[in-house]
Amino acid sequence: MAAQTRRGGVSLPERRSASKLDSSILARISSSPIVSRGKQAAWDATFVSKKLLRSTGKAAWIAGTTFLILVVPLIIEMDREQQFNELELQQASLLGAPPTASALK
Amino acid sequence: MAGLVPPGPTTVPAGESKKAEEKTDFMNLPCPIPFEELHREALMSLKPEAFEGLRFDFTKGLNQKFSLSHSVYMGPTEIPSQSAETIKIPTAHYEFGANFIDPNLMLIGRVLTDGRLNARVKWDLTDNLTVKANAQLSNEPHMSHGIVNFDYKGKDYRSQFQMGNAALFGASYIQSVTRHLSLGGEVFWAGQHRKSGIGYAARYETDKMVATGQVASTGVVALSYVQKVSEKVSLASDFMYNYITRDVTSSVGYDYILRQCRLRGKIDSNGCAAAYLEERLNMGLNFILSAEIDHRKKDYKFGFGLTVG
């Protein structure tokens, strides 16, 4: 409570003197160049990773929607064409009626 | 052996007919395609008519030569704005049209509920001379225009003379130089804007590919290349450069013609991807889907429609 720099006995002044000592240790540690470098590096890393995530997200969106518009109808139509061809082949083989062909099917 | 004819440009001994096919016969070159259709294969793949909204077309033939068409369109329409963002206003219109198609004469007329009238005439006067006219009338002042074209088709060349309102005059000429290559040029003069221009074009065509190039004094250099990969698939690419405004655009596209459908897709260097699908649901019934995504302007347009008849 009171700012008394009396040594010994009461915890408060000791604490005060101890906190003063601690603050000086902590202050020394936190103002040391290693810690500040580390903090700067951590901040940089989060900044870069946020930007990377955002630009990857943008690229993924552009690639995904372009793929959806250009490629998906093509795949669907080619699949349908193949099914249609198989159906025609099946019908042609049925009408031609070779028994081995129907056995294979 | 008897009757051996000395080899000339048009007569070839029978044993060497294969070699003669490679040796071009300059007296018998094929007629080139018209100058305005120079880029037609590339345009078919790379410029599908993307629309936004609902489109319904119904064509009914009354006769062998005469048919009527009804068409409904509902959807947003872009209006040109000065700012960078696009402004779209929902519009809807109904279009009534009548077509008369004869071997020598073709008349097409369309009238819309927003007051526009569109008329086209194509008249084959003789085997070689054709007259074409195109007029668009509109309610808004100064937005109506009309053009008349006179086309003459020679043995291996085509020439065209065109006159339009607002004192527009133009002429074009294209000539087959070899069996695959044709060269042409055009000039135009616009009286109202006091502008004139000249342009040259070349087209090289084989069974598998078509390459065209065009240069104009308005600053446009356009090159295109279409390769027919198989009878169902063709790929196209296009490069357009304006040397006055320093504007460059390039695009790549494909065109798949399958039995039940026709699918066209393209991607642009302006960040624009578009696709157009026409699917045959039934005899005379076509279902149309169109999509266009512009990543740069963040403008997305999707449309669907039905075509009957």
Side-chain angles (χ1 to χ4, degrees):
Chain A
M1 287 191 219
Q4 280 173 3
T5 55
R6 196 179 40 149
R7 288 211 173 269
V10 190
S11 59
L12 197 54
E14 277 206 18
R15 208 185 58 189
R16 262 229 42 159
S17 60
S19 71
K20 247 202 206 164
L21 258 170
D22 281 354
S23 74
S24 68
I25 290 177
L26 270 174
R28 260 188 285 151
I29 290 176
S30 64
S31 63
S32 73
I34 296 176
V35 172
S36 65
R37 276 268 187 84
K39 267 201 244 176
Q40 184 70 21
W43 193 83
D44 278 345
T46 56
F47 182 72
V48 167
S49 64
K50 265 192 209 163
K51 284 256 160 141
L52 204 62
L53 197 65
R54 188 163 295 169
S55 64
T56 308
K58 262 170 83 171
W61 170 259
I62 291 179
T65 54
T66 305
F67 175 82
L68 192 63
I69 292 291
L70 290 181
V71 181
V72 170
L74 190 62
I75 294 178
I76 294 175
E77 288 301 329
M78 281 170 64
D79 195 37
R80 281 186 71 188
E81 175 86 3
Q82 208 181 28
Q83 267 183 5
F84 189 65
N85 279 347
E86 277 179 13
L87 186 68
E88 259 192 6
L89 209 59
Q90 206 178 39
Q91 280 190 349
S93 72
L94 275 176
L95 284 175
T100 50
S102 51
L104 271 172
K105 288 265 182 258
Chain B
M1 268 308 190
L4 194 64
V5 183
T10 51
T11 61
V12 173
E16 299 179 3
S17 56
K18 281 244 175 94
K19 266 202 205 160
E21 258 171 6
E22 291 159 13
K23 187 172 161 188
T24 54
D25 181 4
F26 284 100
M27 294 297 124
N28 267 343
L29 290 174
C31 200
I33 66 167
F35 190 86
E36 61 257 11
E37 289 176 32
L38 206 71
H39 300 281
R40 102 183 134 186
E41 278 88 359
L43 288 182
M44 277 201 309
S45 299
L46 295 172
K47 300 224 184 322
E49 314 130 5
F51 59 95
E52 182 169 18
L54 165 75
R55 210 177 86 175
F56 178 74
D57 288 325
F58 175 60
T59 306
K60 172 139 182 101
L62 298 179
N63 213 349
Q64 202 159 19
K65 301 186 177 178
F66 191 68
S67 60
L68 296 176
S69 86
H70 308 266
S71 167
V72 175
Y73 170 75
M74 293 187 269
T77 307
E78 257 181 57
I79 58 168
S81 76
Q82 282 81 10
S83 66
E85 54 177 54
T86 50
I87 301 182
K88 295 192 187 178
I89 295 185
T91 54
H93 63 74
Y94 162 74
E95 174 186 306
F96 174 73
N99 314 327
F100 175 79
I101 300 185
D102 201 35
N104 287 346
L105 178 62
M106 185 177 86
L107 302 168
I108 292 183
R110 300 259 181 279
V111 65
L112 282 87
T113 48
D114 49 7
R116 279 183 287 165
L117 177 79
N118 198 340
R120 280 192 0 203
V121 175
K122 178 168 172 278
W123 187 19
D124 294 333
L125 284 172
T126 72
D127 259 346
N128 295 340
L129 184 62
T130 303
V131 178
K132 289 197 279 201
N134 188 347
Q136 280 173 5
L137 306 178
S138 157
N139 263 344
E140 301 156 37
H142 304 297
M143 290 288 280
S144 316
H145 45 266
I147 287 188
V148 181
N149 293 346
F150 299 95
D151 293 344
Y152 185 76
K153 182 173 80 160
K155 188 151 180 264
D156 54 2
Y157 66 90
R158 279 188 206 254
S159 61
Q160 180 189 75
F161 176 66
Q162 100 182 356
M163 289 191 302
N165 78 332
L168 171 73
F169 295 98
S172 77
Y173 178 78
I174 183 166
Q175 161 98 44
S176 279
V177 174
T178 74
R179 241 172 356 139
H180 300 295
L181 179 65
S182 50
L183 305 172
E186 65 166 351
V187 293
F188 74 89
W189 185 71
Q192 211 167 53
H193 307 276
R194 296 272 188 269
K195 274 200 288 204
S196 68
I198 188 168
Y200 304 100
R203 181 180 157 108
Y204 185 82
E205 174 174 5
T206 66
D207 279 340
K208 299 263 175 169
M209 58 84 122
V210 175
T212 70
Q214 186 167 12
V215 185
S217 72
T218 50
V220 168
V221 174
L223 310 167
S224 80
Y225 179 77
V226 177
Q227 168 95 15
K228 201 165 148 186
V229 174
S230 78
E231 63 194 25
K232 295 188 179 174
V233 183
S234 64
L235 302 172
S237 77
D238 166 279
F239 175 79
M240 205 193 71
Y241 172 57
N242 192 331
Y243 57 77
I244 295 179
T245 61
R246 303 260 173 218
D247 203 10
V248 182
T249 303
S250 167
S251 61
V252 176
Y254 64 83
D255 187 358
Y256 267 71
I257 304 183
L258 303 172
R259 261 181 300 185
Q260 305 274 55
C261 75
R262 179 170 182 183
L263 178 59
R264 286 177 261 185
K266 81 138 178 49
I267 183 157
D268 219 341
S269 68
N270 292 336
C272 186
Y276 190 83
L277 168 69
E278 285 163 296
E279 169 112 25
R280 210 187 72 162
L281 294 179
N282 217 343
M283 185 69 204
L285 190 67
N286 281 348
F287 181 59
I288 301 178
L289 284 176
S290 139
E292 185 178 337
I293 299 185
D294 194 339
H295 290 289
R296 212 169 274 190
K297 292 191 234 163
K298 303 234 192 284
D299 183 23
Y300 313 111
K301 292 201 260 198
F302 300 97
F304 66 100
L306 204 58
T307 301
V308 182

